Amino acid sequence: MTSPKPRVVLGVSAGIAAYKACELLRRLTESGHDVTVVPTADALRFVGEPTWAALSGRPVSAQVWDGVADVPHVRLGQNADLVFVAPATADLLAKAAHGLADDLLTNTLLTARCPVVFAPAMHTEMWQHPATQANVATLRDRGAIVVEPASGRLTGKDTGPGRLPDPAELFEVARHVLARGGARDLAGRHVVVSAGGTREAIDPVRFIGNRSSGLQGYALARTAVTRGARVTLVSANVALPDPAGAEIVAVGSAEEMHKAVVSAAASADAVVMAAAVADFRPAGYRDSKIKKTEGAEPEPIRLVKNPDILAELGGNRPAGQVIVGFAAETDDVLANGRAKLARKGSDLLVVNQVGEDLVFGRPDNAAVILGADGSHTEVPRGAKEALAEIVWDLVAARLRPPSPD
Ligand code: CTP
């Protein structure tokens, strides 16, 4: 017998980003989800009913008066495994926060007992308005996941936070939330994740870098968002799509990463340093490209030490902050890992073996996670997201209970 398909209600409210929800719908249906699209009446001005019906393979209704004998305003919410609203307009968030129920989508939100995700999209002013922020806080308090909008070009000429994240990344959020049953053990927490590899400039065209792809850090950011955290992702030279809901701070060098991480860490409950940070940088930057001189030997490049961000965080942290490091080792993996954990003053150290074919740029990873309390967690080879979930499990277990205010 095949297991039943997960049932998803895709709510669509009236924003221009409704067209991006078509791509989310396609990904959901193609990966074996049973999706019912519930647009608001005005959402149908942006994308019409035939598109939703064709892509979902199901009838589409915006209001409660169709097929009343089936009591759809109750049944859809009750039977769903996930309700995902994308885009969620300021108006829809306000209605949801206040429990209004004047159409099929808002009725469905009131009857749903499954995880509910809102992916807001609107102009920056509307997003930042205290009314919208209060509604978002209310929805989060009640257990919904509200994905932070992405920053960038909005409709018209302006830019700022308010864009609907990439549909492929929204799909990842849906997939994770379904897999975890909507558990939000990082709700109300701020976590900082560093990812990628720093580049230390030699001259305008050359740098000293490393082979880190950023996949592990991005998996950590993505999984933390779905567990309810506010995520700051300090990203160095990563060519991957932005995880939905994370605030991205792009940096280049170790010194830039140092500044960005230390600043974000001041308010963080946890910091995970997954980035490969260059230990050294060229002592002097050449303003113009270094040229070769016929018959002369190249000049050596003198290196100086970069700040050790992880060690600095470990030595001077706000009370209760949990700090996680990663250790890339080629030999004596465990012994080097234990020594590094002590040297850096972290709570946890994820130790993995690196080499030509191991870890860098691969979607999977194997590791052992060492705890300052003596714990030792073996993580068998698997997806980097599976390792990320285990890291967050260990972090969540070490966080102090949230303050009551
Ligand atoms: N790290 C850091 N700042 C640096 C170097 C490393 O914050 N300047 C962090 C990395 O993000 C990682 C951890 O320290 O979480 C371990 O990095 P690794 O390169 O394995 O250790 P190193 O301290 O560089 O030690 P070594 O290269 O001698 O093994």
Side-chain angles (χ1 to χ4, degrees):
M1 218 177 76
T2 53
S3 60
K5 291 179 173 183
R7 278 167 303 209
V8 178
V9 170
L10 176 61
V12 183
S13 56
I16 183 71
Y19 79 92
K20 293 192 193 169
C22 299
E23 171 70 14
L24 173 60
L25 170 58
R26 200 183 58 78
R27 286 179 184 264
L28 286 165
T29 51
E30 283 181 1
S31 56
H33 300 81
D34 189 343
V35 189
T36 304
V37 181
V38 183
T40 63
D42 282 340
L44 295 174
R45 292 169 179 253
F46 288 107
V47 178
E49 181 268 341
T51 301
W52 301 121
L55 289 175
S56 67
R58 296 187 140 265
V60 170
S61 176
Q63 35 113 348
V64 291
W65 308 113
D66 296 327
V68 174
D70 285 340
V71 205
H73 73 289
V74 176
R75 187 183 44 79
L76 275 174
Q78 281 178 340
N79 291 349
D81 298 305
L82 172 68
V83 177
F84 200 114
V85 186
T89 58
D91 180 63
L92 190 279
L93 294 171
K95 284 181 172 155
H98 292 276
L100 300 189
D102 61 355
D103 62 5
L104 188 55
L105 178 53
T106 45
N107 274 272
T108 301
L109 288 168
L110 282 185
T111 52
R113 293 296 175 268
C114 60
V116 176
V117 179
F118 294 93
M122 64 197 73
H123 268 77
T124 304
E125 292 83 350
M126 298 175 83
W127 171 247
Q128 291 176 342
H129 194 284
T132 305
Q133 288 300 308
N135 291 330
V136 167
T138 300
L139 292 167
R140 284 183 174 149
D141 278 353
R142 293 199 193 121
I145 291 173
V146 183
V147 177
E148 289 286 314
S151 273
R153 182 80 191 265
L154 303 169
T155 324
K157 290 207 166 71
D158 33 0
T159 57
R163 274 169 69 88
L164 190 73
D166 189 43
E169 291 296 319
L170 290 178
F171 169 70
E172 289 301 319
V173 173
R175 202 170 59 78
H176 279 273
V177 172
L178 276 166
R180 288 184 51 82
R184 294 166 64 257
D185 54 352
L186 297 177
R189 308 292 193 169
H190 176 209
V191 304
V192 177
V193 177
S194 71
T198 62
R199 290 181 181 177
E200 311 304 312
I202 299 170
D203 69 13
V205 293
R206 303 182 180 94
F207 59 82
I208 299 172
N210 61 67
R211 289 152 55 89
S212 175
S213 64
L215 280 168
Q216 185 62 65
Y218 274 49
L220 281 155
R222 195 178 285 125
T223 46
V225 167
T226 60
R227 292 169 79 142
R230 173 159 87 84
V231 179
T232 305
L233 176 59
V234 181
S235 171
N237 310 301
V238 176
L240 294 171
D242 294 346
E247 186 204 346
I248 317 284
V249 182
V251 296
S253 65
E255 284 181 302
E256 285 170 16
M257 175 161 280
H258 176 240
K259 206 166 144 210
V261 169
V262 167
S263 152
S267 64
D269 297 286
V271 184
V272 182
M273 286 294 299
V277 185
D279 290 322
F280 310 103
R281 66 178 182 278
Y285 172 74
R286 309 285 188 92
D287 289 332
S288 45
K289 188 180 166 201
I290 301 170
K291 308 289 275 181
K292 55 183 177 302
T293 318
E294 214 50 58
E297 284 299 306
E299 268 184 46
I301 297 171
R302 198 167 70 80
L303 299 175
V304 291
K305 259 190 175 171
N306 272 327
D308 188 327
I309 307 167
L310 185 63
E312 185 177 319
L313 295 172
N316 175 29
R317 61 173 104 179
Q321 186 176 74
V322 178
I323 295 176
V324 185
F326 271 68
E329 302 291 346
T330 50
D331 318 285
D332 287 337
V333 176
L334 280 186
N336 281 334
R338 275 272 165 225
K340 196 170 284 184
L341 177 65
R343 199 165 66 240
K344 303 256 187 180
S346 312
D347 299 289
L348 295 162
L349 192 75
V350 184
V351 189
N352 39 47
Q353 192 170 13
V354 291
E356 277 291 309
D357 304 328
L358 293 168
V359 182
F360 290 126
R362 285 182 57 143
D364 60 355
N365 211 348
V368 48
I369 307 177
L370 306 175
D373 53 6
S375 67
H376 178 121
T377 310
E378 297 271 355
V379 185
R381 180 158 297 283
K384 287 186 172 171
E385 275 162 9
L387 173 59
E389 296 286 15
I390 295 170
V391 170
W392 293 127
D393 289 345
L394 296 171
V395 168
R398 284 162 174 79
L399 287 170
R400 295 198 302 199
S403 57
D405 57 22

